[in-house]
Amino acid sequence: MSVVIPTLNAGGGLHDLLDAVDGQVGDFACRVVGVDSGSTDGTLERLRRRGARVLDVRPCDFNHGTTRNQGLALAEGEFAVLLVQDAVPASSEWLQALIAPLLADERVAGSFGRQCPAHGARRLTREYLSRWVAAQPASRVVGPLTAEQYEAMSPAERLIACAFDNVCACVRLTVWRAHPFRATPIAEDLEWAREVLLAGYRIAYAPEAIVWHSHERPVTYEFQRTYLVHQRLHALFGLATIPSVPSLLRAIAATVPANVRLALADEQGRCRGAVRNAALGVALPLGQYLGARSSRDGRAWLRTGRI
């Protein structure tokens, strides 16, 4: 069993992830494949000391889809696990739970696990994460989908049906070889799920496969990421969560005070958190609006760096 992890300056926390992978129970051996794209903090050395196979990718060549394909090409066995460098398995049964749907049904092309907020995550972070499919407590299996069924769905229904998350996922390698990830700056997992569902396969969500994973990232980063995500959501599913300027203004008016209230409920850093949360109350709706509009108009409204 191979565990593929794209890395870039993963820091000392990488040891927690590798310890958790090494501690898995079950009738399998795990081999980590690290796909590194320019680390300068000792990440490569940490991976090699722990026996991982390491593939170097030039930073300018990094791509969420094709870089993962390079790692998966080195994978061994019937299945391969995909993780991100700061998603730490929460128990020694994590891997068993993640691969269980693929063992139970050969038509399951992939499974994805549950994300729970990292220790110390702020209330706003916990709130936003709780809205995603990969944070829910109930298991599910979706698919296959016919083209007619897919076209009859609303854009929001298409997104929910095609939910898949490479923060913590497992893919059946025979299916991946026929349907590799596409080259894309983000949302390679959603695009892959749509493709395999329409090709006659199923996607499973395994909430017992828990990883600790959340972020407290700069407002500018979140703005750029939201823009790219919603650019892709419109391109893939026709989804525009904030389709017009009036809806943007309404979203900002509702989101800013709600975010500030969450910051004031945190135990520490309330004033600083309130300022950040208020800024996010503007940045995230604006990113949603501009991202969908960019896809609709075929015009770039924002220059972004690597996300």
Side-chain angles (χ1 to χ4, degrees):
M1 173 76 68
S2 295
V3 180
V4 177
I5 310 170
T7 58
L8 175 63
N9 294 331
L14 182 62
H15 286 302
D16 295 333
L17 186 161
L18 297 175
D19 286 344
V21 170
D22 287 344
Q24 295 302 300
V25 298
D27 187 21
F28 41 71
C30 292
R31 176 74 184 274
V32 170
V33 177
V35 188
D36 192 82
S37 53
S39 289
T40 57
D41 70 338
T43 292
L44 289 166
E45 292 73 18
R46 293 185 188 99
L47 287 167
R48 290 181 175 125
R49 282 198 301 269
R50 299 295 295 267
R53 185 171 183 180
V54 179
L55 176 65
D56 283 311
V57 177
R58 294 188 305 170
C60 62
D61 292 335
F62 176 84
N63 178 279
H64 280 286
T66 53
T67 298
R68 284 178 168 84
N69 286 341
Q70 290 174 283
L72 288 169
L74 301 177
E76 302 170 349
E78 186 178 359
F79 314 125
V81 171
L82 292 161
L83 280 177
V84 294
Q85 64 186 22
D86 54 355
V88 180
S91 76
S92 58
E93 289 80 34
W94 157 78
L95 186 53
Q96 283 186 326
L98 186 61
I99 66 175
L102 291 93
L103 292 171
D105 184 352
E106 65 181 11
R107 298 306 295 175
V108 171
S111 62
F112 62 109
R114 185 178 182 184
Q115 299 172 44
C116 290
H119 178 70
R122 293 184 178 272
R123 289 177 185 264
L124 182 66
T125 300
R126 297 200 297 268
E127 170 64 24
Y128 279 14
L129 179 58
S130 71
R131 301 173 187 175
W132 177 225
V133 172
Q136 306 311 311
S139 62
R140 70 173 208 169
V141 178
V142 176
L145 293 176
T146 65
E148 292 76 16
Q149 289 172 325
Y150 181 81
E151 290 300 325
M153 293 177 175
S154 69
E157 289 170 336
R158 293 171 186 169
L159 170 59
I160 296 302
C162 298
F164 192 68
D165 200 323
N166 280 342
V167 163
C168 168
C170 182
V171 298
R172 191 180 300 274
L173 286 172
T174 54
V175 177
W176 166 77
R177 291 185 184 106
H179 302 276
F181 292 112
R182 304 298 179 180
T184 175
I186 206 162
E188 80 293 338
D189 37 17
L190 298 174
E191 185 170 11
W192 184 80
R194 184 185 68 170
E195 182 174 332
V196 298
L197 287 170
L198 290 171
Y201 295 97
R202 300 185 177 97
I203 293 292
Y205 171 55
E208 298 84 6
I210 296 172
V211 293
W212 304 114
H213 179 260
S214 60
H215 295 283
E216 311 287 341
R217 296 182 284 215
V219 173
T220 52
Y221 181 97
E222 292 290 3
F223 174 50
Q224 292 182 44
R225 181 180 178 83
T226 301
Y227 169 82
L228 285 176
V229 166
H230 283 263
Q231 189 180 59
R232 294 286 292 141
L233 293 183
H234 185 272
L236 289 171
F237 308 117
L239 180 64
T241 54
I242 300 180
S244 65
V245 172
S247 62
L248 171 62
L249 296 176
R250 288 193 296 270
I252 291 172
T255 304
V256 169
N259 283 6
V260 170
R261 285 194 293 272
L262 287 171
L264 296 177
D266 276 321
E267 287 84 14
Q268 57 184 350
R270 294 176 181 175
C271 291
R272 190 172 184 179
V275 172
R276 177 180 183 272
N277 283 14
L280 285 170
V282 176
L284 299 185
L286 182 59
Q288 293 175 54
Y289 169 71
L290 290 177
R293 183 173 174 182
S294 171
S295 172
R296 184 180 67 240
D297 298 346
R299 175 181 176 183
W301 290 97
L302 184 68
R303 293 183 65 182
T304 62
R306 172 175 168 175
I307 299 297

